[in-house]
Amino acid sequence: MAYDEACGERPRLLVVANRLPVSAKRTGENSWSLEMSPGGLVSGLLGVAAQFDTKWVGWPGVDVYDEVEKRALSKALAEMKCIPVFLNEVFDQYYNGYCNGILWPILHHMGLPQEDDNDTNKTFQTQYDAYKRANRMFLDVIIDNYEEGDIVWCHDYHLMFLPQYLKEYNNKIKVGWFLHSPFPSSEVYKTLPSRSELLRSVLTSDLLGFHTYDFARHFVSTCTRILGVEGTQEGVVDHGRVTRVAVFPLGIDPDRFIRTCKLPEVRQQMNELKERFAGKKVILGVDRLDMIKGIPQKFLGFEKFLEENPNWRDKVVLVQIAVPTRNGVPEYRKLKNQAHGLVGRINGRFGSVTSLPIHHLDCSVDFNYLCALYAIADVMLVTSLRDGMNLVSYEFIACQEAKKGVLVLSEFAGAGQSLGAGALLVNPWDVTEVSSAIKEALNMSVEERETRHRVNFQYVKTYSAKKWGDDFMRELNETVTESEMQIGKTPHQLPQQDVIQRYSKSNNRLIILGFCGTLTEPMNKETKETDLKLNPELKGTLKALCNDPKTTVVVLSRSGRDILDKNFGEYKIWLAAENGMFLRHTTGEWVTNVPENMNLDWVDGAKNVFKYFTDRTPRSFLEASETSLVWNYEYADAEFGRAQARDMLQYLWSGPISNASVDVVRGNNSVEVHAMGLTKDEDIYTFFESETLPSKLPLETRSKSSANNHSLKQKRKVLLNVFDLKEDNYFSASIGQARTDARYVIDSSHDVVDFLHMLTVGVAMTRTTGSFSDSDANANLQHSNGGKTKEPNCVVC
């Protein structure tokens, strides 16, 4: 993300979040005092401040209706590079209603709350409308401040419609979106009435970020099951457009905590706390008073520990900081009363006149005092029931450089994936397990404490908030650049005269062709996979090509061996069945290319699901082979077929392939499941790419274009003897696909018939007509200069 240092210009970044990182207070008529609020997001963007001219867009935290006051506050905020969005009348239904009353419980696996039938002014629909309106208000402010080239980074579930609105305004805007909460499984998310609209909106972003792989995986699988799109390792593919999905664990600014712990006033507070709790081990809890934080579960686990370990009752104290939040919500008042009740019960059972086992504070504490508490604690107890990350864990570790205390961490916190190596992971619902972990932490040897702390301290230092911000912006820039390059690579029509001319001059030719949709006779609504037949118009042409001593012909298909044998048994032709899992020489027997460790236990179960939907979807058909299954609904009713495909994906993911090592490919009119490691249709287009790159390029550059999986390497070994491909002798073409890795396109399978015939007679095609599209239809045309002859070798696929 370099910028022109000579000009001193930096690219602009608009950070858009529900709340500005500023606390605003009125100090008089039309005057305000502002104070920057510390936090993970603020710290995370310190890293990109040097690279970008960063401005914040968000709600200022106060309602301002008077226009004069709005201007005064906006002017004061501008000095802190903040731009306010005044939500006013929509705030309650937008924020307290849809964001925190509906989306928040869903995202935290708490389910959809019951709608209040008695409150007709606040329904799911009115809150949803307010949510969309608020997102529009954010858009309006962005438009007013947008400059050409600005990058917009949207944050959290409050702004799920904003990416779509931004792209509708200007499709060239670089848009990133990051979710700071968990993302649930599809079974939970699909209960949300507006599930599809929200997903499709965030998918318009260029890059989506999540804290953990679990959250990212849940999001991709949810899109696959609800929208019927394709999930890949890169992200989500919808109608040919790829939305990158990546993981960026948020960290903290560790140096800030380390410096604070060394301040004289903080050291004084630490000494006072040590004196206050002399002779006792200190267990610390720091949480918002929130349902997901598991505070009651923490108290129950601690109570269990005291019950089972009476020798510890006078030697340990639990200090719990419960920061008040959402006091106006009945559920939170109920939680507060529950926590107070447990504290009273436990202190009553195990306390004395001079000593209480639990010190519970319903308040926040200043930063210095918090760091002192972190530093003197022997154990940090985090029992979140569901947490996006939980940075309290990081803060504790950063302050424990001297004492090296033990972190007991819920496995349901996002931090569990990052800090699990050094923490004691627990299930907070299991009070016995929490009790045992407390005991283990208190009795842990110095050597083990130091080892565990060293691992986590190194992680916290390395994966800081600064690195999080840097990594996301770098990935966003790279993603947009790749997308722009891909748009510029839209293939042109195959230059047929040039291909035929080079082909006719060649002494060594390789032709690689697809089967279904490329060489098959035209299909109708009653055609089944087992009925696929070679186009009669091609028989003479294909025989002439196969009998030419200068030409080797290969058919690479997802179809099974029996089908290929039936159609090509009389030809001197190489066959690659099931996307290359089985190979047959022109006159030889079938040779398996299936890796020995490939697990195909999923096939029978998945086939039952495919058959179920085939029977219930008229004019659909199943293509089954030993390592892959394809359900095709090209000739079914389009709308019904798409709906059936979505349901099929849900059945597959929840059952036979839930833990299987498979790839799922969602085509325009098909669903394919195949074993991991199979060659995909598009792989053939880049198969020879490394051979055609100029030899003067570095090896690392050339190797990036090479086929690097086992299956492709084996095919290269079998199919090639010696090829010295030059770029002007290499051609690859796909049938009727605008988005493809092929260099060129051919309009239809009918044009393939004509073109192959012209190859045999050396006559250039003068006209192409029609259109056809099939994920298995491909025609790669590749030529090379042979090392043993003066004339170019030729490869046609």
Side-chain angles (χ1 to χ4, degrees):
M1 302 295 292
Y3 60 91
D4 189 343
E5 294 184 2
C7 298
E9 295 181 355
R10 295 177 297 169
R12 292 201 344 152
L13 171 65
L14 299 180
V15 178
V16 191
N18 172 70
R19 179 73 184 268
L20 289 173
V22 170
S23 298
K25 293 183 179 179
R26 285 185 177 88
T27 55
E29 186 176 354
N30 301 328
S31 63
W32 300 83
S33 68
L34 305 175
E35 182 180 351
M36 186 65 74
S37 305
L41 183 56
V42 178
S43 300
L45 292 171
L46 293 177
V48 299
Q51 303 173 25
F52 293 91
D53 177 11
T54 305
K55 297 185 183 298
W56 294 75
V57 179
W59 180 58
V62 291
D63 292 331
V64 183
Y65 295 89
D66 183 79
E67 292 301 321
V68 176
E69 282 195 330
K70 284 183 180 180
R71 287 194 294 270
L73 179 55
S74 298
K75 183 178 179 180
L77 288 169
E79 296 179 1
M80 303 184 74
K81 296 190 173 182
C82 291
I83 305 169
V85 180
F86 296 106
L87 298 171
N88 295 341
E89 68 278 359
V90 304
F91 179 79
D92 181 57
Q93 296 227 33
Y94 150 71
Y95 182 75
N96 296 321
Y98 198 76
C99 291
N100 292 328
I102 296 176
L103 285 180
W104 190 89
I106 287 287
L107 295 174
H108 288 83
H109 281 246
M110 297 174 66
L112 191 68
Q114 181 66 41
E115 188 172 30
D116 186 357
D117 295 333
N118 297 320
D119 190 352
T120 57
N121 294 321
K122 195 173 185 179
T123 65
F124 281 178
Q125 187 60 49
T126 61
Q127 293 171 80
Y128 181 58
D129 292 342
Y131 181 82
K132 291 193 292 184
R133 185 180 173 192
N135 276 242
R136 286 284 185 189
M137 295 168 76
F138 275 88
L139 173 71
D140 292 340
V141 172
I142 293 172
I143 291 175
D144 290 341
N145 292 273
Y146 177 77
E147 296 179 6
E148 188 70 26
D150 283 358
I151 300 172
V152 182
W153 190 0
C154 309
H155 289 270
D156 231 350
Y157 57 91
H158 311 87
L159 300 172
M160 293 182 75
F161 271 119
L162 188 56
Q164 175 183 324
Y165 294 161
L166 287 166
K167 289 292 187 177
E168 289 173 350
Y169 165 68
N170 184 345
N171 191 48
K172 294 182 179 180
I173 296 179
K174 295 180 182 179
V175 178
W177 183 78
F178 192 91
L179 182 65
H180 293 268
S181 77
F183 195 91
S185 67
S186 61
E187 291 300 309
V188 175
Y189 181 84
K190 72 180 182 181
T191 62
L192 186 65
S194 51
R195 58 192 187 183
S196 298
E197 296 88 339
L198 291 170
L199 290 177
R200 290 202 179 278
S201 176
V202 295
L203 284 176
T204 61
S205 305
D206 298 295
L207 175 64
L208 302 179
F210 297 86
H211 282 307
T212 73
Y213 282 100
D214 280 350
F215 303 157
R217 177 173 55 84
H218 282 163
F219 176 82
V220 172
S221 64
T222 296
C223 290
T224 300
R225 299 176 191 186
I226 292 178
L227 301 180
V229 296
E230 179 184 352
T232 69
Q233 292 183 346
E234 290 73 31
V236 176
V237 182
D238 185 13
H239 292 89
R241 184 184 182 277
V242 179
T243 300
R244 180 88 170 91
V245 177
V247 177
F248 306 91
L250 179 61
I252 62 171
D253 178 7
D255 293 335
R256 178 175 178 237
F257 289 87
I258 294 171
R259 289 194 307 268
T260 302
C261 288
K262 295 178 181 178
L263 295 175
E265 57 268 33
V266 176
R267 289 193 174 276
Q268 176 62 32
Q269 290 174 331
M270 291 165 58
N271 291 332
E272 292 173 357
L273 287 168
K274 289 177 182 178
E275 184 177 347
R276 171 69 181 82
F277 299 116
K280 294 186 177 182
K281 296 284 188 178
V282 177
I283 301 173
L284 179 63
V286 179
D287 306 276
R288 284 185 298 107
L289 188 61
D290 201 310
M291 280 88 74
I292 66 165
K293 295 300 182 179
I295 294 176
Q297 285 73 17
K298 182 183 302 185
F299 291 154
L300 291 172
F302 184 60
E303 181 180 36
K304 183 75 169 178
F305 169 76
L306 294 177
E307 287 176 354
E308 297 180 342
N309 300 276
N311 58 309
W312 274 103
R313 290 176 185 174
D314 295 324
K315 300 176 184 178
V316 65
V317 60
L318 171 59
V319 178
Q320 176 64 50
I321 308 297
V323 181
T325 180
R326 303 175 188 173
N327 289 324
V329 180
E331 288 79 4
Y332 285 81
R333 292 197 299 268
K334 182 179 178 181
L335 174 64
K336 184 176 181 179
N337 292 334
Q338 181 186 10
H340 287 179
L342 287 170
V343 171
R345 185 179 82 191
I346 296 169
N347 283 342
R349 287 185 64 190
F350 303 107
S352 66
V353 175
T354 58
S355 176
L356 294 176
I358 299 180
H359 291 241
H360 182 85
L361 285 77
D362 278 325
C363 63
S364 59
V365 296
D366 70 61
F367 182 73
N368 285 1
Y369 192 71
L370 178 62
C371 289
L373 280 170
Y374 282 143
I376 63 95
D378 298 278
V379 177
M380 185 76 198
L381 186 55
V382 178
T383 53
S384 303
L385 306 180
R386 185 69 57 177
D387 232 346
M389 181 52 70
N390 192 286
L391 295 180
V392 163
S393 308
Y394 288 64
E395 295 170 359
F396 168 73
I397 291 168
C399 294
Q400 281 281 317
E401 192 172 12
K403 192 160 192 177
K404 300 176 176 57
V406 181
L407 173 63
V408 178
L409 178 60
S410 167
E411 63 186 71
F412 300 121
Q417 290 191 6
S418 304
L419 304 178
L424 297 178
L425 293 180
V426 296
N427 173 5
W429 296 99
D430 187 341
V431 294
T432 301
E433 185 175 322
V434 174
S435 170
S436 298
I438 293 173
K439 181 177 181 180
E440 181 180 356
L442 292 173
N443 291 306
M444 188 176 292
S445 67
V446 174
E447 293 77 12
E448 185 176 353
R449 289 207 322 267
E450 290 179 346
T451 299
R452 288 177 176 272
H453 174 76
R454 183 168 58 250
V455 171
N456 279 347
F457 186 75
Q458 183 60 43
Y459 183 91
V460 170
K461 283 280 290 182
T462 303
Y463 293 92
S464 63
K466 178 182 182 300
K467 177 174 172 56
W468 169 79
D470 290 345
D471 287 349
F472 187 94
M473 295 312 302
R474 182 175 61 253
E475 185 79 20
L476 176 59
N477 186 59
E478 292 175 356
T479 298
V480 172
T481 301
E482 290 174 3
S483 177
E484 291 171 346
M485 292 175 61
Q486 187 66 37
I487 293 173
K489 290 168 57 180
T490 302
H492 303 289
Q493 284 288 325
L494 180 71
Q496 297 178 14
Q497 294 184 3
D498 187 22
V499 176
I500 295 171
Q501 182 182 23
R502 292 178 180 279
Y503 179 90
S504 63
K505 292 180 179 180
S506 173
N507 285 328
N508 187 14
R509 307 158 182 159
L510 174 64
I511 302 176
I512 305 176
L513 298 163
F515 177 50
C516 179
T518 304
L519 304 179
T520 51
E521 64 181 353
M523 293 183 286
N524 55 46
K525 294 183 177 181
E526 283 70 41
T527 300
K528 296 183 178 179
E529 198 270 344
T530 54
D531 297 331
L532 294 177
K533 296 179 181 178
L534 179 67
N535 192 325
E537 297 180 18
L538 266 175
K539 291 186 175 181
T541 298
L542 189 60
K543 184 163 291 188
L545 292 172
C546 292
N547 291 335
D548 188 336
K550 298 181 180 180
T551 304
T552 299
V553 182
V554 178
V555 170
L556 173 62
S557 175
R558 71 186 181 197
S559 298
R561 289 174 285 178
D562 292 343
I563 294 174
L564 297 187
D565 274 337
K566 183 172 67 174
N567 282 279
F568 300 101
E570 62 183 282
Y571 299 93
K572 297 179 180 180
I573 195 169
W574 283 76
L575 298 176
E578 298 190 29
N579 291 318
M581 278 293 153
F582 301 94
L583 303 175
R584 199 204 76 175
H585 190 271
T586 52
T587 57
E589 299 294 327
W590 283 102
V591 177
T592 182
N593 196 34
V594 180
E596 293 182 3
N597 60 348
M598 179 173 284
N599 189 331
L600 298 176
D601 293 344
W602 56 270
V603 172
D604 290 340
K607 187 180 292 186
N608 290 334
V609 175
F610 275 71
K611 287 180 178 178
Y612 176 90
F613 282 92
T614 301
D615 293 342
R616 286 154 181 78
T617 310
R619 296 184 297 279
S620 69
F621 59 91
L622 168 64
E623 305 171 46
S625 62
E626 294 181 48
T627 58
S628 66
L629 300 168
V630 180
W631 182 65
N632 192 305
Y633 58 94
E634 180 178 359
Y635 301 109
D637 177 81
E639 185 174 349
F640 183 65
R642 285 192 293 270
Q644 291 288 79
R646 287 194 295 270
D647 290 345
M648 172 187 282
L649 288 167
Q650 293 189 46
Y651 275 91
L652 289 171
W653 281 116
S654 61
I657 68 171
S658 58
N659 296 309
S661 180
V662 298
D663 281 328
V664 178
V665 180
R666 178 76 164 84
N668 288 334
N669 298 291
S670 65
V671 175
E672 177 178 359
V673 179
H674 60 235
M676 197 81 74
L678 289 185
T679 304
K680 300 176 184 177
D681 297 329
E682 287 286 307
D683 289 339
I684 193 64
Y685 300 133
T686 56
F687 182 69
F688 296 96
E689 284 287 354
S690 63
E691 305 293 335
T692 66
L693 291 172
S695 59
K696 65 182 180 181
L697 289 178
L699 176 62
E700 306 88 86
T701 304
R702 286 184 275 125
S703 64
K704 287 181 181 178
S705 298
S706 301
N708 53 22
N709 64 52
H710 172 78
S711 182
L712 281 181
K713 288 180 179 178
Q714 290 298 316
K715 295 187 188 73
R716 183 189 297 276
K717 183 177 180 180
V718 173
L719 296 177
L720 296 180
N721 291 320
V722 177
F723 283 101
D724 183 21
L725 293 176
K726 306 300 180 184
E727 189 165 6
D728 56 355
N729 291 325
Y730 171 78
F731 299 87
S732 60
S734 170
I735 295 180
Q737 293 190 107
R739 180 178 173 80
T740 175
D741 288 330
R743 295 183 176 182
Y744 305 102
V745 293
I746 295 178
D747 286 340
S748 68
S749 58
H750 174 74
D751 296 323
V752 174
V753 174
D754 291 342
F755 179 70
L756 291 179
H757 177 69
M758 292 178 193
L759 285 180
T760 64
V761 298
V763 178
M765 180 182 291
T766 59
R767 182 172 64 90
T768 60
T769 59
S771 63
F772 191 90
S773 176
D774 186 284
S775 62
D776 188 44
N778 50 54
N780 286 332
L781 304 160
Q782 311 178 24
H783 299 251
S784 68
N785 284 328
K788 297 182 180 180
T789 65
K790 293 182 179 180
E791 296 177 334
N793 292 335
C794 179
V795 184
V796 180
C797 312

